[in-house]
Amino acid sequence: MTDAARPPVPSSGRRRGTRRFDWPGLRADARAAIPDASLALVVTGLVFWWLWARVENGSSPSIRMMPPFEDASEYWWYWLCQAFGWSALLWAYITVVLGLLRSGARPPWRWLSAARVEKWHRTTSLTTIGLMFLHMATFFGAELQTNFENQPMGELVRETLVKVFVPGGYATGTGRVAILIGLLAFYLGIVLGLAFYLRQTTGSRLWRALHRFVIVVYVLSVWHTLLYGTNVWFDGSFRTLVWALQMPLAGLLLLRLLAPARPSERLRLRGPGRESRPLPLTARAAGRLAVVATIAGLAAVIASGADGGRPDHGHSSAGVWPERWVIWAGLLALTLVLVAVAHRLRPSRSVGPPPEGRRRADRPR
């Protein structure tokens, strides 16, 4: 049958087949994530036990700034919140590693196939979102427990819901910025992480472009931890370790940019197929230079010890930077970039026949 003789595909049927959320795929990945999530809960339990033990023996740095919390059995909500926060950050770390392995040069090990890495990446992404939500939910419980005797329950629940789940709702202390950053990481993680299941609507090119911004979610998560994690509040070896652990990720990101899995993402300055358009060339070169600068900055922070921690003889620093308006401005800039990318790579609405050249290329030979 020739192309001209083929019956046209109804546009409504095509939209029904492609313009939808991939619920079956999400359910399948959620089932596949059960072992991964179970392991995450076990790790959370071990972290909770470790935090509890440090409180009991008086070695927890959190007690230095919150002496009333030294009774771990009474304020267990807070320590469970911390445990979920640390396991969420660990799973976010693993998810980023798997994502970089999948999109970069293929690993040399046969057992680590691209399909297996991609499946692990999707399941750990779902587990990370779940852990972040449990971190917020237990923080909600800790806030209720701490302020239970100060105001009526109905009013307390409403105010605490705003403080814990609404960006900008927490308006006091370091939490003004730290909790705002953490909430932005959570909601951006949901939008950018679940965008995979909308790829039939957005198209693969747009989904891949948006998914690259997930690294922003991880950066915000680490920033939130360093600002508000009372176990890394003060200067010390554990805080330095958190900074040092970002070096392997930055190095892996640089390798992924220098040797991407897709030939179309490579930076060719010479030879056949070299870059002819200045905008992609500039963007790709700037990305590589930014990662190199990040690695140099991390090395300087680790070597100098100037990592933004508070001195262990006091509970406060010179002030929390940045101000909230800077965070909101950054979110606005990120939103504008995402909108611009979505507009540029949006799928065509045309349902007509493909160009003649593409038809010839698609025919079997």
Side-chain angles (χ1 to χ4, degrees), residues 241-266:
L241 176 64
V242 173
W243 279 93
L245 286 174
Q246 311 316 312
M247 286 286 283
L249 275 189
L252 192 58
L253 176 58
L254 181 60
L255 290 177
R256 180 256 182 268
L257 293 176
L258 294 176
R262 296 180 181 85
S264 60
E265 297 178 6
R266 294 171 188 168

Side-chain angles (χ1 to χ4, degrees), residues 27-359:
R27 286 193 292 267
D29 286 342
R31 288 192 296 269
I34 291 176
D36 178 74
S38 301
L39 177 60
L41 292 177
V42 171
V43 171
T44 303
L46 293 175
V47 174
F48 178 64
W49 171 81
W50 177 69
L51 293 172
W52 186 298
R54 297 193 73 191
V55 172
E56 290 294 317
N57 62 28
S59 62
S60 172
S62 301
I63 300 302
R64 280 184 279 169
M65 59 172 298
M66 299 183 303
F69 281 47
E70 63 184 358
D71 186 354
S73 60
E74 179 179 358
Y75 294 101
W76 60 273
W77 274 107
Y78 178 77
W79 306 113
L80 186 59
C81 169
Q82 277 205 350
F84 274 117
W86 284 111
S87 60
L89 186 62
L90 173 61
W91 250 254
Y93 190 98
I94 295 171
T95 300
V96 172
V97 169
L98 292 173
L100 293 174
L101 288 176
R102 175 63 182 90
S103 58
R106 295 291 183 266
W109 315 296
R110 290 186 176 181
W111 61 270
L112 198 62
S113 64
R116 179 173 294 179
V117 173
E118 182 174 345
K119 180 180 179 181
W120 289 349
H121 178 59
R122 295 200 306 270
T123 57
T124 54
S125 297
L126 295 177
T127 301
T128 302
I129 292 174
L131 291 171
M132 293 172 74
F133 173 77
L134 291 173
H135 175 55
M136 296 165 58
T138 49
F139 182 59
F140 175 79
E143 285 289 307
L144 286 180
Q145 182 186 35
T146 304
N147 300 290
F148 178 74
E149 299 178 354
N150 298 336
Q151 57 190 122
M153 177 56 72
E155 180 183 350
L156 175 61
V157 170
R158 287 192 299 271
E159 290 186 2
T160 306
L161 283 172
V162 172
K163 289 169 64 177
V164 174
F165 292 99
V166 177
Y170 202 101
T172 59
T174 308
R176 292 184 307 109
V177 172
I179 294 179
L180 171 60
I181 291 173
L183 287 174
L184 293 180
F186 175 68
Y187 292 124
L188 283 173
I190 292 177
V191 173
L192 297 176
L194 298 186
F196 171 79
Y197 304 100
L198 278 170
R199 67 196 184 283
Q200 295 178 359
T201 299
T202 62
S204 296
R205 287 182 62 210
L206 176 55
W207 165 72
R208 286 196 299 266
L210 294 178
H211 191 68
R212 291 169 187 155
F213 290 92
V214 170
I215 193 67
V216 175
V217 175
Y218 178 76
V219 171
L220 291 174
S221 300
V222 176
W223 193 0
H224 165 78
T225 301
L226 292 172
L227 275 178
Y228 213 53
T230 52
N231 280 286
V232 289
W233 188 283
F234 300 113
D235 296 323
S237 58
F238 189 46
R239 184 181 179 89
T240 303
L241 176 64
V242 173
W243 279 93
L245 286 174
Q246 311 316 312
M247 286 286 283
L249 275 189
L252 192 58
L253 176 58
L254 181 60
L255 290 177
R256 180 256 182 268
L257 293 176
L258 294 176
R262 296 180 181 85
S264 60
E265 297 178 6
R266 294 171 188 168
L267 183 66
R268 295 186 178 94
L269 301 178
R270 298 178 180 178
R274 65 182 181 272
E275 299 287 350
S276 58
R277 293 177 297 173
L279 183 58
L281 173 64
T282 303
R284 291 170 185 170
R288 288 153 175 79
L289 292 175
V291 177
V292 170
T294 300
I295 294 174
L298 287 171
V301 167
I302 296 167
S304 65
D307 56 9
R310 294 151 172 82
D312 58 9
H313 57 271
H315 293 177
S316 61
S317 60
V320 179
W321 191 91
E323 294 292 335
R324 286 202 291 183
W325 70 267
V326 178
I327 304 297
W328 287 117
L331 177 63
L332 176 61
L334 176 62
T335 303
L336 293 177
V337 171
L338 291 175
V339 170
V341 170
H343 178 75
R344 186 174 185 274
L345 299 179
R346 69 191 186 281
S348 173
R349 295 184 179 180
S350 173
V351 295
E356 182 63 27
R358 186 179 300 176
R359 283 204 302 268

Side-chain angles (χ1 to χ4, degrees), residues 14-34:
R14 181 171 298 184
R15 280 195 294 268
R16 281 197 299 270
T18 58
R19 302 276 178 177
R20 60 185 178 86
F21 189 88
D22 186 12
W23 288 108
L26 177 58
R27 286 193 292 267
D29 286 342
R31 288 192 296 269
I34 291 176

